[in-house]
Amino acid sequence: MQARIVDTARSVASYRTQDGRHQDFPSARQACTIGLNADGHSETLYRALMRAEAAAGNRAGLRSAIARWQDANRHLTRDQIDKKTQTLVDKLLAAS
């Protein structure tokens, strides 16, 4: 069940951040939040949330999403941190 919630949340966030009339950043954020409540360690959802906040131009929201991800992974060593997420964090921070 947890995996389905995460997959659905990621799909909704992805759909809601695409250009077009269906674009809705608050809905993308909400989908990620719901998914992260089900699985607080989902790297795909943290990346989706960070992308949504960056696309919305919400610098404070981006920083909050990064802080939430860092807090969820505070027990991991640098070698254990998901490299895709760290690369995204570095890219988004450099761009903002």
Side-chain angles (χ1 to χ4, degrees):
M1 182 61 100
Q2 194 175 32
R4 287 186 179 178
I5 293 169
V6 168
D7 288 343
T8 301
R10 186 188 49 75
S11 294
V12 170
S14 176
Y15 179 74
R16 290 300 189 177
T17 55
Q18 293 177 8
D19 289 335
R21 63 182 178 85
H22 54 272
Q23 188 177 63
D24 183 353
F25 296 120
S27 292
R29 181 182 307 113
Q30 182 179 19
C32 292
T33 300
I34 290 169
L36 286 167
N37 286 337
D39 179 1
H41 296 283
S42 172
E43 293 290 327
T44 59
L45 285 179
Y46 281 112
R47 288 192 298 265
L49 180 58
M50 290 174 203
R51 285 186 191 107
E53 297 296 8
N58 184 359
R59 186 173 170 84
L62 174 60
R63 292 228 178 250
S64 177
I66 292 168
R68 185 173 177 184
W69 169 72
Q70 288 171 329
D71 187 52
N73 290 298
R74 69 183 175 280
H75 64 283
L76 300 178
T77 65
R78 184 137 179 98
D79 293 339
Q80 293 173 313
I81 292 176
D82 188 304
K83 294 194 185 344
K84 286 182 187 177
T85 308
Q86 185 61 57
T87 300
L88 179 63
V89 167
D90 295 342
K91 176 182 172 187
L92 293 175
L93 288 176
S96 62

